[in-house]
Short mmCIF file of all heavy atoms in Angstrom, two decimals:
data_model
loop_
_atom_site.label_atom_id
_atom_site.label_comp_id
_atom_site.label_asym_id
_atom_site.label_seq_id
_atom_site.Cartn_x
_atom_site.Cartn_y
_atom_site.Cartn_z
N ILE A 6 17.66 9.19 10.55
CA ILE A 6 16.57 8.39 10.01
C ILE A 6 16.13 7.33 11.01
O ILE A 6 16.94 6.56 11.51
CB ILE A 6 16.99 7.69 8.69
CG1 ILE A 6 17.46 8.73 7.68
CG2 ILE A 6 15.84 6.87 8.13
CD1 ILE A 6 18.05 8.13 6.41
N ALA A 7 14.83 7.29 11.27
CA ALA A 7 14.22 6.21 12.05
C ALA A 7 13.74 5.14 11.09
O ALA A 7 13.04 5.44 10.12
CB ALA A 7 13.05 6.75 12.87
N VAL A 8 14.10 3.89 11.35
CA VAL A 8 13.64 2.76 10.54
C VAL A 8 12.83 1.85 11.44
O VAL A 8 13.35 1.32 12.43
CB VAL A 8 14.82 1.99 9.92
CG1 VAL A 8 14.31 0.77 9.15
CG2 VAL A 8 15.64 2.88 9.01
N THR A 9 11.55 1.67 11.13
CA THR A 9 10.76 0.69 11.88
C THR A 9 10.90 -0.66 11.18
O THR A 9 10.98 -0.73 9.95
CB THR A 9 9.28 1.08 11.95
OG1 THR A 9 8.66 0.88 10.67
CG2 THR A 9 9.11 2.53 12.38
N GLY A 10 10.93 -1.72 11.98
CA GLY A 10 11.08 -3.04 11.39
C GLY A 10 12.45 -3.27 10.78
O GLY A 10 12.61 -4.08 9.86
N GLY A 11 13.46 -2.61 11.31
CA GLY A 11 14.80 -2.72 10.76
C GLY A 11 15.48 -4.04 11.03
O GLY A 11 16.58 -4.28 10.52
N SER A 12 14.85 -4.93 11.81
CA SER A 12 15.41 -6.25 12.06
C SER A 12 14.89 -7.30 11.09
O SER A 12 15.32 -8.45 11.13
CB SER A 12 15.08 -6.69 13.50
OG SER A 12 15.55 -5.76 14.45
N GLY A 13 13.94 -6.93 10.23
CA GLY A 13 13.33 -7.87 9.31
C GLY A 13 14.18 -8.16 8.09
O GLY A 13 15.29 -7.65 7.93
N LYS A 14 13.65 -8.99 7.20
CA LYS A 14 14.41 -9.45 6.04
C LYS A 14 14.84 -8.28 5.15
O LYS A 14 16.01 -8.21 4.74
CB LYS A 14 13.58 -10.45 5.23
CG LYS A 14 14.36 -11.17 4.15
CD LYS A 14 13.55 -12.30 3.54
CE LYS A 14 14.39 -13.13 2.59
NZ LYS A 14 13.62 -14.29 2.03
N LEU A 15 13.92 -7.39 4.85
CA LEU A 15 14.28 -6.19 4.09
C LEU A 15 14.94 -5.16 4.98
O LEU A 15 15.89 -4.48 4.57
CB LEU A 15 13.04 -5.60 3.43
CG LEU A 15 13.22 -4.28 2.68
CD1 LEU A 15 14.22 -4.42 1.54
CD2 LEU A 15 11.88 -3.76 2.17
N GLY A 16 14.44 -5.03 6.20
CA GLY A 16 14.93 -3.99 7.11
C GLY A 16 16.42 -4.06 7.37
O GLY A 16 17.09 -3.02 7.46
N ARG A 17 16.97 -5.26 7.47
CA ARG A 17 18.41 -5.38 7.72
C ARG A 17 19.21 -4.78 6.57
O ARG A 17 20.23 -4.12 6.80
CB ARG A 17 18.78 -6.86 7.91
CG ARG A 17 18.19 -7.48 9.16
CD ARG A 17 18.81 -8.83 9.46
NE ARG A 17 18.57 -9.81 8.39
CZ ARG A 17 17.51 -10.61 8.31
NH1 ARG A 17 16.57 -10.52 9.24
NH2 ARG A 17 17.39 -11.49 7.35
N HIS A 18 18.75 -5.01 5.34
CA HIS A 18 19.43 -4.42 4.19
C HIS A 18 19.30 -2.90 4.19
O HIS A 18 20.24 -2.18 3.84
CB HIS A 18 18.84 -4.97 2.89
CG HIS A 18 19.17 -6.41 2.64
ND1 HIS A 18 20.42 -6.82 2.21
CD2 HIS A 18 18.42 -7.54 2.75
CE1 HIS A 18 20.42 -8.13 2.06
NE2 HIS A 18 19.22 -8.60 2.38
N VAL A 19 18.12 -2.41 4.57
CA VAL A 19 17.89 -0.97 4.58
C VAL A 19 18.78 -0.28 5.61
O VAL A 19 19.42 0.74 5.31
CB VAL A 19 16.40 -0.67 4.84
CG1 VAL A 19 16.19 0.82 5.10
CG2 VAL A 19 15.56 -1.13 3.65
N VAL A 20 18.83 -0.83 6.81
CA VAL A 20 19.69 -0.24 7.86
C VAL A 20 21.14 -0.23 7.41
O VAL A 20 21.86 0.77 7.56
CB VAL A 20 19.51 -1.00 9.18
CG1 VAL A 20 20.58 -0.57 10.19
CG2 VAL A 20 18.12 -0.75 9.76
N ARG A 21 21.58 -1.34 6.82
CA ARG A 21 22.97 -1.44 6.36
C ARG A 21 23.26 -0.42 5.26
O ARG A 21 24.28 0.27 5.29
CB ARG A 21 23.24 -2.85 5.86
CG ARG A 21 24.69 -3.17 5.57
CD ARG A 21 24.85 -4.63 5.14
NE ARG A 21 24.35 -5.53 6.16
CZ ARG A 21 23.37 -6.41 5.96
NH1 ARG A 21 22.76 -6.47 4.78
NH2 ARG A 21 22.98 -7.20 6.93
N ARG A 22 22.34 -0.29 4.30
CA ARG A 22 22.56 0.64 3.18
C ARG A 22 22.56 2.08 3.65
O ARG A 22 23.45 2.87 3.27
CB ARG A 22 21.47 0.42 2.13
CG ARG A 22 21.41 1.46 1.00
CD ARG A 22 22.70 1.48 0.18
NE ARG A 22 22.70 2.55 -0.80
CZ ARG A 22 22.49 2.37 -2.11
NH1 ARG A 22 22.26 1.17 -2.59
NH2 ARG A 22 22.53 3.39 -2.94
N LEU A 23 21.58 2.47 4.44
CA LEU A 23 21.50 3.86 4.87
C LEU A 23 22.68 4.25 5.75
O LEU A 23 23.19 5.37 5.67
CB LEU A 23 20.18 4.11 5.59
CG LEU A 23 18.91 3.94 4.75
CD1 LEU A 23 17.67 4.21 5.60
CD2 LEU A 23 18.93 4.85 3.52
N THR A 24 23.13 3.32 6.57
CA THR A 24 24.31 3.57 7.41
C THR A 24 25.54 3.75 6.54
O THR A 24 26.35 4.66 6.75
CB THR A 24 24.51 2.44 8.41
OG1 THR A 24 23.34 2.31 9.25
CG2 THR A 24 25.71 2.70 9.30
N ALA A 25 25.69 2.88 5.54
CA ALA A 25 26.83 2.97 4.63
C ALA A 25 26.81 4.27 3.84
O ALA A 25 27.88 4.81 3.48
CB ALA A 25 26.85 1.78 3.68
N ASP A 26 25.60 4.80 3.58
CA ASP A 26 25.48 6.07 2.86
C ASP A 26 25.79 7.28 3.74
O ASP A 26 25.75 8.42 3.26
CB ASP A 26 24.06 6.21 2.30
CG ASP A 26 23.82 5.34 1.08
OD1 ASP A 26 24.80 4.76 0.55
OD2 ASP A 26 22.65 5.21 0.66
N GLY A 27 26.05 7.04 5.02
CA GLY A 27 26.45 8.12 5.91
C GLY A 27 25.36 8.69 6.79
O GLY A 27 25.58 9.68 7.49
N HIS A 28 24.18 8.09 6.75
CA HIS A 28 23.09 8.58 7.59
C HIS A 28 23.21 8.04 9.02
O HIS A 28 23.83 7.01 9.26
CB HIS A 28 21.75 8.15 7.00
CG HIS A 28 21.52 8.64 5.60
ND1 HIS A 28 21.42 9.98 5.29
CD2 HIS A 28 21.38 7.96 4.42
CE1 HIS A 28 21.22 10.12 3.99
NE2 HIS A 28 21.20 8.91 3.44
N GLN A 29 22.59 8.74 9.94
CA GLN A 29 22.47 8.25 11.32
C GLN A 29 21.16 7.48 11.41
O GLN A 29 20.08 8.07 11.24
CB GLN A 29 22.47 9.42 12.29
CG GLN A 29 23.72 10.28 12.25
CD GLN A 29 23.60 11.50 13.15
OE1 GLN A 29 23.15 11.40 14.30
NE2 GLN A 29 23.99 12.66 12.63
N VAL A 30 21.23 6.19 11.68
CA VAL A 30 20.07 5.31 11.59
C VAL A 30 19.80 4.67 12.95
O VAL A 30 20.71 4.17 13.61
CB VAL A 30 20.29 4.21 10.54
CG1 VAL A 30 19.07 3.31 10.44
CG2 VAL A 30 20.62 4.83 9.19
N LEU A 31 18.53 4.67 13.35
CA LEU A 31 18.10 3.99 14.57
C LEU A 31 16.93 3.09 14.22
O LEU A 31 15.98 3.51 13.56
CB LEU A 31 17.69 5.02 15.64
CG LEU A 31 17.55 4.49 17.08
CD1 LEU A 31 18.84 3.86 17.58
CD2 LEU A 31 17.14 5.63 18.01
N ASN A 32 17.04 1.83 14.63
CA ASN A 32 16.04 0.81 14.33
C ASN A 32 15.04 0.69 15.47
O ASN A 32 15.42 0.48 16.62
CB ASN A 32 16.77 -0.53 14.12
CG ASN A 32 15.81 -1.71 14.00
OD1 ASN A 32 14.66 -1.57 13.63
ND2 ASN A 32 16.31 -2.90 14.32
N PHE A 33 13.76 0.81 15.14
CA PHE A 33 12.69 0.60 16.10
C PHE A 33 11.98 -0.70 15.76
O PHE A 33 11.38 -0.83 14.68
CB PHE A 33 11.68 1.76 16.07
CG PHE A 33 12.25 3.08 16.47
CD1 PHE A 33 11.88 4.25 15.82
CD2 PHE A 33 13.18 3.17 17.50
CE1 PHE A 33 12.40 5.48 16.19
CE2 PHE A 33 13.70 4.39 17.88
CZ PHE A 33 13.31 5.55 17.23
N ASP A 34 12.02 -1.66 16.68
CA ASP A 34 11.43 -2.97 16.41
C ASP A 34 11.10 -3.63 17.73
O ASP A 34 11.56 -3.21 18.79
CB ASP A 34 12.42 -3.83 15.61
CG ASP A 34 11.73 -4.77 14.64
OD1 ASP A 34 10.59 -5.21 14.95
OD2 ASP A 34 12.30 -5.08 13.58
N ARG A 35 10.31 -4.71 17.64
CA ARG A 35 10.00 -5.49 18.84
C ARG A 35 10.93 -6.68 18.98
O ARG A 35 11.03 -7.27 20.05
CB ARG A 35 8.55 -5.97 18.80
CG ARG A 35 7.54 -4.89 19.08
CD ARG A 35 6.15 -5.46 19.28
NE ARG A 35 5.60 -6.03 18.05
CZ ARG A 35 4.47 -6.71 17.99
NH1 ARG A 35 3.78 -6.94 19.09
NH2 ARG A 35 4.02 -7.16 16.83
N VAL A 36 11.58 -7.08 17.89
CA VAL A 36 12.50 -8.22 17.91
C VAL A 36 13.79 -7.81 17.24
O VAL A 36 13.85 -6.81 16.53
CB VAL A 36 11.89 -9.43 17.18
CG1 VAL A 36 10.62 -9.89 17.86
CG2 VAL A 36 11.60 -9.10 15.71
N GLY A 37 14.84 -8.62 17.46
CA GLY A 37 16.12 -8.35 16.83
C GLY A 37 17.22 -8.23 17.85
O GLY A 37 17.00 -8.27 19.07
N GLU A 38 18.42 -8.09 17.35
CA GLU A 38 19.59 -8.01 18.21
C GLU A 38 19.63 -6.68 18.94
O GLU A 38 19.64 -5.62 18.33
CB GLU A 38 20.87 -8.19 17.37
CG GLU A 38 22.13 -8.23 18.19
CD GLU A 38 23.36 -8.48 17.34
OE1 GLU A 38 23.20 -8.79 16.14
OE2 GLU A 38 24.48 -8.36 17.88
N ARG A 39 19.64 -6.75 20.27
CA ARG A 39 19.67 -5.54 21.06
C ARG A 39 21.05 -4.89 20.97
O ARG A 39 22.08 -5.57 20.89
CB ARG A 39 19.34 -5.84 22.53
CG ARG A 39 18.04 -6.61 22.73
CD ARG A 39 16.83 -5.82 22.35
NE ARG A 39 15.62 -6.61 22.43
CZ ARG A 39 14.88 -6.76 23.53
NH1 ARG A 39 15.25 -6.20 24.66
NH2 ARG A 39 13.78 -7.48 23.51
N GLY A 40 21.08 -3.58 20.98
CA GLY A 40 22.34 -2.87 20.92
C GLY A 40 22.11 -1.39 20.74
O GLY A 40 20.95 -0.92 20.73
N PRO A 41 23.18 -0.62 20.54
CA PRO A 41 23.03 0.84 20.44
C PRO A 41 22.25 1.28 19.21
O PRO A 41 21.78 2.42 19.18
CB PRO A 41 24.48 1.33 20.38
CG PRO A 41 25.28 0.15 19.92
CD PRO A 41 24.59 -1.05 20.48
N GLY A 42 22.12 0.42 18.22
CA GLY A 42 21.39 0.81 17.02
C GLY A 42 19.94 0.44 17.02
O GLY A 42 19.24 0.67 16.01
N MET A 43 19.43 -0.12 18.12
CA MET A 43 18.04 -0.59 18.15
C MET A 43 17.35 -0.16 19.43
O MET A 43 17.95 -0.15 20.52
CB MET A 43 17.99 -2.11 18.05
CG MET A 43 16.58 -2.67 18.18
SD MET A 43 16.55 -4.47 18.21
CE MET A 43 14.82 -4.75 18.67
N VAL A 44 16.07 0.19 19.31
CA VAL A 44 15.23 0.50 20.46
C VAL A 44 13.96 -0.36 20.34
O VAL A 44 13.37 -0.43 19.26
CB VAL A 44 14.84 2.00 20.50
CG1 VAL A 44 13.91 2.27 21.67
CG2 VAL A 44 16.09 2.86 20.57
N VAL A 45 13.58 -1.01 21.42
CA VAL A 45 12.37 -1.83 21.41
C VAL A 45 11.15 -0.92 21.51
O VAL A 45 10.98 -0.20 22.49
CB VAL A 45 12.38 -2.84 22.57
CG1 VAL A 45 11.08 -3.65 22.58
CG2 VAL A 45 13.57 -3.78 22.45
N VAL A 46 10.31 -0.95 20.49
CA VAL A 46 9.13 -0.10 20.42
C VAL A 46 7.96 -0.93 19.91
O VAL A 46 8.10 -1.68 18.95
CB VAL A 46 9.35 1.11 19.48
CG1 VAL A 46 8.08 1.94 19.35
CG2 VAL A 46 10.50 1.98 19.97
N ASP A 47 6.81 -0.77 20.55
CA ASP A 47 5.58 -1.39 20.07
C ASP A 47 4.86 -0.37 19.20
O ASP A 47 4.33 0.62 19.70
CB ASP A 47 4.70 -1.80 21.25
CG ASP A 47 3.44 -2.55 20.83
OD1 ASP A 47 3.14 -2.59 19.61
OD2 ASP A 47 2.75 -3.10 21.70
N LEU A 48 4.87 -0.59 17.90
CA LEU A 48 4.29 0.38 16.98
C LEU A 48 2.78 0.52 17.14
O LEU A 48 2.19 1.48 16.64
CB LEU A 48 4.61 -0.01 15.53
CG LEU A 48 6.09 -0.07 15.16
CD1 LEU A 48 6.25 -0.47 13.69
CD2 LEU A 48 6.79 1.26 15.42
N ARG A 49 2.15 -0.42 17.83
CA ARG A 49 0.72 -0.34 18.06
C ARG A 49 0.38 0.64 19.18
O ARG A 49 -0.79 0.94 19.41
CB ARG A 49 0.16 -1.72 18.39
CG ARG A 49 0.35 -2.73 17.27
CD ARG A 49 0.04 -4.14 17.73
NE ARG A 49 0.92 -4.53 18.83
CZ ARG A 49 0.89 -5.72 19.42
NH1 ARG A 49 0.03 -6.64 19.01
NH2 ARG A 49 1.71 -6.00 20.42
N ASN A 50 1.40 1.12 19.87
CA ASN A 50 1.23 2.05 20.98
C ASN A 50 1.64 3.44 20.52
O ASN A 50 2.83 3.73 20.38
CB ASN A 50 2.08 1.58 22.17
CG ASN A 50 1.86 2.43 23.42
OD1 ASN A 50 1.90 3.65 23.36
ND2 ASN A 50 1.65 1.77 24.54
N TYR A 51 0.67 4.31 20.30
CA TYR A 51 0.95 5.64 19.75
C TYR A 51 1.88 6.43 20.66
O TYR A 51 2.79 7.13 20.19
CB TYR A 51 -0.34 6.42 19.52
CG TYR A 51 -0.11 7.82 19.02
CD1 TYR A 51 0.28 8.05 17.71
CD2 TYR A 51 -0.27 8.93 19.85
CE1 TYR A 51 0.52 9.33 17.23
CE2 TYR A 51 -0.04 10.21 19.40
CZ TYR A 51 0.36 10.41 18.09
OH TYR A 51 0.60 11.68 17.63
N GLY A 52 1.68 6.33 21.96
CA GLY A 52 2.51 7.07 22.90
C GLY A 52 3.98 6.70 22.77
O GLY A 52 4.87 7.56 22.80
N GLN A 53 4.25 5.40 22.63
CA GLN A 53 5.63 4.97 22.46
C GLN A 53 6.23 5.51 21.17
O GLN A 53 7.38 5.98 21.15
CB GLN A 53 5.71 3.43 22.46
CG GLN A 53 5.46 2.78 23.79
CD GLN A 53 5.77 1.28 23.74
OE1 GLN A 53 6.54 0.82 22.93
NE2 GLN A 53 5.13 0.53 24.64
N VAL A 54 5.46 5.44 20.09
CA VAL A 54 5.99 5.88 18.80
C VAL A 54 6.28 7.37 18.82
O VAL A 54 7.36 7.82 18.41
CB VAL A 54 5.00 5.53 17.67
CG1 VAL A 54 5.55 6.01 16.32
CG2 VAL A 54 4.74 4.03 17.61
#
Side-chain angles (χ1 to χ4, degrees):
I6 303 173
V8 177
T9 73
S12 304
K14 190 170 187 177
L15 176 60
R17 294 192 298 272
H18 289 285
V19 170
V20 169
R21 190 177 302 121
R22 170 62 186 256
L23 296 180
T24 301
D26 285 350
H28 301 296
Q29 300 175 45
V30 181
L31 194 58
N32 171 25
F33 296 142
D34 213 329
R35 286 190 292 173
V36 298
E38 184 177 351
R39 307 293 175 87
M43 176 186 170
V44 177
V45 177
V46 176
D47 184 350
L48 299 180
R49 299 169 300 181
N50 185 311
Y51 177 74
Q53 289 189 24
V54 179

